[in-house]
Amino acid sequence: MSSRFTIARLGAQGDGIAAADDGEVFIPFTLPGETVTAARQKDRAALMSVLEASPLRVEPPCRHFTECGGCALQHFEAEAYRKWKRERVVQALKVKGIACEIDALVPCAPHTRRRVVFSARRTEAGMLLGFVRALSSEIIPIEECPISLPAIVAALDRLRRLADLVCATPKAFHMMITVTASGLDVAVQDAGKLGENQRRIASNFVMAEGLARLSVDGEIIVEPKKPVVQFGSVAVAVPPGAFLQATEAAEQAMAGLVGQHLSRAKKVADLFAGCGSFALRLAAKSEVHAVEGDAPALAALDRAFRFASGLKRVTSERRDLFRRPLTFKELNGFDGLVFDPPRAGAEDQSKQIARSDVPLVAAVSCNPVTLARDLRILLDGGYQLKSVTPIDQFLWSPHVEAVALLEKPRRRR
């Protein structure tokens, strides 16, 4: 049974929010000001029809929109979408009492995402490969994807066949696809244990189809071409399933802001350094100490530095910064610092940075809420916020990156 709703505003996940007698109702794929009918279940409702459309409603570019679970906001006019996404950062900082002029959002172009994670499952009708419908386990097979690089879309049939070759489970499993300079890097998770014949057939397929690498649960099955990405002037051979920023343009934008802010620093700490997207760029001007908990990522960073030329010294340290953050005394040996933690942020590490004398700090985050919490800690510790730049690298999703730049005058010792 459907009911009539008027959408008041967008929620943090991009759903329209309507008022009801017993609370708020979240209705995906709607916009503020619209009158809609929707089938309600508790505090959520499935859109049935739009009775009065917003002037900001546009035609979605993808046939799978509303089904595949990947995009939330393809129906939102571009300029209004960018303002809404910037406002997510504004509001998160406001909640923590942080007043700062927020720069305009750095936009994300379509067809630029270089890393996607597909879900796959074998069925009686054949192999499903696609994305999971929102709030469901149903895999929606896809034929197009306007956020992804064309190289990924062009390979969908090959990837579906490869999924069939490596599948050794009746359950759903995942395939992470990364576009590298060497070709597609395919990292499979939870597909079951491969038999020897499967390994041989899958290896032959990868080589015949020109893929760069196939790994299963972190084990390299075949690697005809070592997958390589560029961080500035440095080529990095990334490990299977390595974390990379979703788009190269967003990574360059973030690196540019961080590099300019830390350009006067002679010795820089890069915390949560990953494979070195900041460290190896910063090493063009500064000595860098890279700290990361993931051993394969850190090994890739170190190897890239050793084979590169024209860089200042880069040292590396494997350390779980959630369990054992660098202390303020350790940090006082640096005159610049960048940290780029996972979505949970870096609360304990921020407390140590706040107590330190590091004059230049760049905070990079994919979660405005935890960024605001961490910035509040730094500001209470004497730092001054110089700028905050929102960056969109998750097009048509509610997620937004941000780079915050801070300074603290050196204390006399």
Side-chain angles (χ1 to χ4, degrees):
M1 181 177 172
S2 64
S3 303
R4 187 180 176 118
F5 299 94
T6 299
I7 307 304
R9 67 187 191 280
L10 289 184
Q13 297 305 308
D15 296 335
I17 300 178
D21 292 340
D22 55 349
E24 294 180 330
V25 181
F26 295 82
I27 310 175
F29 317 123
T30 59
L31 295 173
E34 293 188 326
T35 301
V36 305
T37 58
R40 182 180 177 184
Q41 189 169 19
K42 297 183 179 178
D43 65 346
R44 296 190 63 82
L47 178 65
M48 306 296 289
S49 65
V50 178
L51 303 178
E52 296 178 27
S54 165
L56 299 176
R57 178 173 285 275
V58 297
E59 189 67 24
C62 179
R63 78 181 90 162
H64 303 301
F65 180 62
T66 74
E67 290 190 328
C68 87
C71 295
L73 294 156
Q74 285 188 18
H75 61 303
F76 202 3
E77 188 272 330
E79 186 58 33
Y81 158 79
R82 288 193 284 267
K83 287 180 179 177
W84 175 80
K85 192 160 266 197
R86 174 184 175 275
E87 190 65 18
R88 288 210 60 215
V89 179
V90 172
Q91 291 302 319
L93 268 58
K94 188 176 181 180
V95 166
K96 290 296 184 180
I98 300 173
C100 173
E101 181 59 36
I102 310 297
D103 294 340
L105 180 82
V106 176
C108 181
H111 310 293
T112 57
R113 184 162 180 146
R114 64 180 173 185
R115 178 174 54 85
V116 301
V117 180
F118 292 122
S119 292
R121 185 168 59 84
R122 180 177 285 143
T123 70
E124 290 183 2
M127 179 59 62
L128 285 179
L129 181 76
F131 297 118
V132 175
R133 187 190 294 273
L135 305 177
S136 165
S137 60
E138 181 188 2
I139 297 173
I140 305 299
I142 64 163
E143 303 297 332
E144 64 178 325
C145 182
I147 65 170
S148 299
L149 280 168
I152 295 175
V153 178
L156 283 171
D157 285 342
R158 285 180 289 159
L159 295 171
R160 197 174 289 109
R161 282 183 282 153
L162 179 58
D164 197 40
L165 294 178
V166 299
C167 179
T169 177
K171 299 179 181 178
F173 60 97
H174 296 105
M175 295 179 73
M176 178 188 285
I177 315 300
T178 305
V179 178
T180 75
S182 322
L184 296 185
D185 181 18
V186 182
V188 177
Q189 287 286 336
D190 302 321
K193 184 173 176 58
L194 292 189
E196 286 303 315
N197 194 45
Q198 267 186 301
R199 295 168 75 100
R200 178 180 56 78
I201 293 172
S203 296
N204 289 340
F205 181 86
V206 166
M207 291 186 286
E209 296 295 335
L211 303 176
R213 176 171 63 195
L214 170 66
S215 61
V216 176
D217 295 328
E219 178 195 356
I220 295 174
I221 304 301
V222 62
E223 188 180 66
K225 295 170 284 188
K226 195 167 285 293
V228 171
V229 297
Q230 287 287 135
F231 294 151
S233 63
V234 183
V236 181
V238 292
F243 171 81
L244 294 175
Q245 299 296 346
T247 74
E248 188 175 0
E251 178 184 275
Q252 290 174 353
M254 289 186 275
L257 290 164
V258 171
Q260 185 175 11
H261 185 60
L262 301 181
S263 61
R264 292 178 283 126
K266 293 182 178 179
K267 193 172 183 183
V268 173
D270 180 2
L271 309 184
F272 308 94
C275 294
S277 61
F278 292 118
L280 295 170
R281 287 179 168 99
L282 292 168
K285 294 183 177 180
S286 312
E287 286 191 12
V288 180
H289 183 58
V291 186
E292 167 60 45
D294 183 71
L298 200 63
L301 187 162
D302 184 64
R303 186 167 55 247
F305 162 67
R306 294 179 187 280
F307 282 95
S309 59
L311 300 183
K312 305 279 190 181
R313 187 165 69 114
V314 177
T315 55
S316 56
E317 176 184 357
R318 186 184 180 192
R319 184 160 170 170
D320 184 341
L321 292 169
F322 291 108
R323 294 177 178 272
R324 197 163 64 92
L326 263 68
T327 67
F328 71 94
K329 291 183 179 179
E330 292 174 286
L331 292 170
N332 284 341
F334 301 96
D335 48 6
L337 180 151
V338 57
F339 66 102
D340 182 12
R343 287 187 62 78
E347 185 173 13
D348 290 341
Q349 184 61 76
S350 294
K351 290 175 181 176
Q352 293 298 323
I353 297 170
R355 296 178 65 190
S356 79
D357 294 335
V358 182
L360 299 170
V361 169
V364 182
S365 172
C366 61
N367 185 343
V369 174
T370 54
L371 173 65
R373 179 201 65 200
D374 294 346
L375 290 180
R376 182 73 268 167
I377 294 168
L378 296 176
L379 294 174
D380 291 345
Y383 278 93
Q384 299 168 353
L385 189 56
K386 296 301 179 182
S387 71
V388 178
T389 305
I391 297 171
D392 189 11
Q393 70 165 330
F394 302 101
L395 184 62
W396 296 315
S397 85
H399 303 298
V400 58
E401 297 271 344
V403 176
L405 306 177
L406 305 101
E407 293 184 8
K408 178 192 274 191
R410 281 278 198 187
R411 288 188 292 228
R412 291 183 180 179
R413 296 175 186 172

